């Protein structure tokens, strides 16, 4: 799926000038979807599409009669709100029809009558979560993250579990505490244990971020019905940035034998714009190569030629702005192409026992890390569990996050011969414990 078409043409000219600004995340080749309203406006959030520094108000363009056919159906569903869950349920023919119509309307020398006046400046808008997730599954698909974290959390044991190379490892996360970018992160309380002394209940001293991508699930499957890897992408609307905030001291004491719980469930942040798989088509890559005696290859039910370009070249950067600093400083970079499993493999594995997925569910990829300097997707790895603090511009040191710190995730896709696209931002500031 997701062959290149006219909507990816790098020569497209958009009549929205800011769509051509250097470094914009939202050229006319991107067209991500989100839920917005004018700041201070009464009433619910409605569906919109990012273009440059503006938002296409799909409801206003519907009222102008700019859409027809299944593109109009798709726009009506996106506008109805209260989220994009029902839009996600429509499936790829509707998603592609709306993208095609928007691309045609936004390209060309001049706006259709009334269309430009109906754009909303992003700076005058507030954003909601794009979907209302009924379920959130957090995977663990970065071999480097698993290795680095394993060495820290389980010294003396094999860094990566024997199952890692046979299946995309995951746990069921908490959907109720997923919030849109900009929501502050209240430092959680929890039980921590130092050595053999009795555990104490206290504010976490090891608050961390995790740089991940979030896959937004589309139509989904009926209970008892498996989704083969070759069909999995029909169930993925697109991808957002996801920060899976973590309290390492709470996590360390609680996580065996059943996995993370309160060390993760206090907040997960999601960026407001869903970058569709259509927009990501020029930035596809083969799944990560596997060779050598340690690499068994994907098992047959998770392998298919249809997934031969199932990886994505998405470069992430995490930024930290301590209190009082003027600008955020980059603290880690990563790339989704390093992931050991593709989104299709995650979805096929998730449904391989018949578990049903629903529109608007979210998969986190797991922290995305590499082995190189500066390629760690969380502070647990970057500071060796606090033993080697980072030094930020101005000499500020950080082992873990402190109150007032702002963490921001960004991501870009760039490839020769194509117009670069981005994901906007996923940010949040740490507040003191209650
Ligand atoms: Ca995570």
């Amino acid at each position: 799926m997701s062959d290149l078409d006219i909507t990816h043409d790098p020569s497209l000219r958009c009549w929205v000038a800011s769509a051509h600004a250097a470094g914009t995340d939202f050229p006319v080749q991107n067209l991500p979807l989100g839920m917005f309203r004018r700041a201070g406006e009464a009433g619910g959030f409605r569906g919109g599409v990012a273009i440059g520094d503006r938002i296409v108000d799909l409801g206003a363009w519907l009222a102008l009669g700019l859409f027809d056919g299944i593109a109009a159906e798709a726009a009506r569903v996106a506008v109805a709100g209260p989220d994009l869950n029902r839009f996600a349920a429509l499936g790829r023919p509707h998603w592609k029809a709306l993208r095609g119509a928007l691309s045609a309307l936004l390209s060309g020398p001049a706006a259709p009558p009334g269309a430009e006046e109906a754009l909303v400046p992003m700076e005058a808008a507030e954003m909601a979560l794009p979907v209302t997730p009924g379920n959130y599954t957090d995977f663990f698909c970065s071999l480097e993250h698993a290795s680095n974290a394993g060495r820290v959390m389980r010294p003396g044991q094999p860094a990566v579990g024997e199952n890692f190379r046979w299946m995309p490892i995951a746990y069921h996360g908490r959907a109720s505490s997923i919030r849109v970018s900009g929501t502050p992160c209240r430092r959680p309380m929890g039980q921590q244990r130092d050595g053999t002394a009795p555990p104490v209940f206290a504010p976490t001293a090891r608050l961390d971020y995790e740089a991940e991508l979030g896959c937004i699930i589309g139509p989904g499957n009926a209970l008892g019905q498996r989704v083969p890897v070759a069909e999995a992408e029909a169930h993925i609307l697109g991808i957002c940035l996801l920060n899976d905030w973590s309290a390492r001291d709470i996590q360390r004491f609680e996580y065996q034998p059943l996995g993370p719980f309160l060390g993760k469930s206090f907040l997960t942040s999601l960026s407001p714009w869903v970058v569709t798989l259509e927009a990501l088509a020029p930035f596809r890559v083969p799944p990560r190569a596997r060779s050598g005696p340690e690499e068994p290859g994907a098992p047959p039910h998770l392998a298919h030629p249809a997934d031969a370009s199932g990886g994505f070249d998405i470069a992430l950067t995490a930024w930290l702005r301590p209190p009082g600093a003027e600008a955020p400083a980059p603290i880690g970079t990563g790339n989704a192409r390093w992931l050991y499993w593709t989104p299709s493999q995650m979805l096929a594995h998730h449904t391989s026992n018949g578990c049903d997925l629903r529109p608007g569910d979210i998969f986190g990829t797991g922290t995305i890390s590499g082995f190189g300097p500066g390629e760690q997707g969380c502070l647990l790895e970057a500071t060796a569990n606090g033993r080697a603090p980072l030094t930020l511009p101005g000499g500020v040191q950080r082992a873990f996050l402190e109150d007032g710190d702002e963490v921001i995730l960004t991501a870009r896709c760039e490839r020769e011969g194509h117009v670069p696209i981005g994901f906007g931002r996923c940010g949040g500031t740490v507040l003191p414990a209650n």
Side-chain angles (χ1 to χ4, degrees):
M1 51 81 50
S2 290
D3 293 330
L4 299 183
D5 60 29
I6 180 68
T7 66
H8 304 98
D9 185 345
S11 69
L12 286 181
R13 299 296 301 175
C14 176
W15 46 262
V16 180
S18 59
H20 295 284
T24 182
D25 281 346
F26 306 121
V28 72
Q29 289 83 2
N30 192 346
L31 303 176
L33 296 126
M35 295 299 294
F36 83 101
R37 68 181 177 195
R38 285 183 182 271
E41 181 180 65
F45 290 86
R46 57 191 186 275
V49 173
I51 182 74
D53 61 4
R54 296 287 192 273
I55 299 171
V56 174
D57 184 337
L58 291 173
W61 280 25
L62 268 171
L64 291 168
L66 296 178
F67 300 111
D68 51 29
I70 66 169
E73 278 177 36
R76 270 193 291 275
V77 171
V79 165
D83 49 44
L84 292 175
N85 286 35
R86 287 192 293 149
F87 180 81
L90 289 175
R92 184 134 278 122
H94 280 87
W95 307 336
K96 287 188 82 151
L98 182 59
R99 174 180 171 83
L102 284 163
S103 175
L105 288 163
L106 284 160
S107 303
E116 188 166 11
E117 295 73 15
L119 296 178
V120 177
M122 281 185 184
E123 61 182 18
E126 51 190 11
M127 305 296 299
L129 271 183
V131 290
T132 304
N135 295 281
Y136 164 45
T137 303
D138 196 19
F139 282 87
F140 189 58
C141 288
S142 162
L143 180 62
E144 287 76 11
H145 170 65
S147 306
N148 294 334
R151 273 191 285 272
V152 171
M153 299 293 268
R154 294 179 302 278
Q157 296 179 40
V160 177
E162 61 173 2
N163 50 11
F164 184 92
R165 291 177 169 85
W166 292 99
M167 65 178 77
I169 304 295
Y171 72 97
H172 294 298
R174 185 75 194 167
S176 69
S177 51
I178 297 179
R179 291 291 187 280
V180 72
S181 170
T183 305
C185 176
R186 175 73 64 186
R187 180 179 298 276
M189 303 284 292
Q191 287 185 305
Q192 305 146 35
R193 185 169 205 181
D194 198 0
T196 55
V200 296
F201 179 72
T204 177
R206 298 191 175 209
L207 182 61
D208 203 353
Y209 73 95
E210 291 195 325
E212 306 192 17
L213 294 174
C215 301
I216 309 299
I217 302 304
N221 57 311
L223 185 69
Q225 194 174 66
R226 290 185 286 126
V227 178
V229 68
E231 296 169 19
E233 284 194 356
H235 300 278
I236 302 174
L237 168 61
I239 295 179
C240 292
L241 300 166
L242 186 149
N243 179 357
D244 188 34
W245 303 88
S246 300
R248 301 302 184 188
D249 36 17
I250 300 171
Q251 180 184 353
R252 187 185 176 88
F253 187 47
E254 75 178 1
Y255 85 106
Q256 288 179 318
L258 292 185
F261 188 50
L262 302 180
K264 299 280 190 175
S265 60
F266 53 96
L267 180 68
T268 302
S269 298
L270 194 74
S271 60
W273 294 110
V274 182
V275 177
T276 62
L277 293 201
E278 282 70 41
L280 291 166
F283 311 103
R284 286 176 166 274
V285 289
R288 177 172 165 147
R290 299 173 191 198
S291 56
E294 277 196 342
E295 305 288 350
H301 74 290
L302 297 181
H304 193 279
D307 202 31
S309 56
F312 295 93
D313 185 353
I314 302 173
L316 293 93
T317 305
W319 308 77
L320 199 161
R321 190 176 65 81
E326 275 187 25
I331 54 170
T333 57
N335 195 304
R337 69 186 307 158
W338 303 338
L339 290 170
Y340 199 83
W341 300 97
T342 66
S344 286
Q345 289 175 317
M346 296 177 212
L347 196 140
H349 175 64
H350 204 306
T351 62
S352 63
N353 68 344
C355 172
D356 50 335
L357 302 175
R358 296 180 190 169
D361 284 357
I362 295 176
F363 288 0
T365 55
T367 306
I368 298 174
S369 295
F371 278 145
E375 291 179 349
Q376 293 79 30
C378 62
L379 292 172
L380 175 80
E381 296 173 61
T383 70
N385 198 18
R387 288 191 296 276
L390 299 180
T391 302
L392 304 175
V396 175
Q397 293 217 316
R398 280 295 180 273
F400 286 96
L401 298 174
E402 299 193 4
D403 294 345
D405 284 353
E406 182 185 17
V407 178
I408 301 159
L409 305 181
T410 60
R412 298 274 291 172
C413 299
E414 298 185 3
R415 180 165 286 186
E416 184 79 32
H418 291 280
V419 176
I421 64 171
F423 284 69
R425 52 185 269 155
C426 180
T429 299
V430 178
L431 299 181
N434 269 337

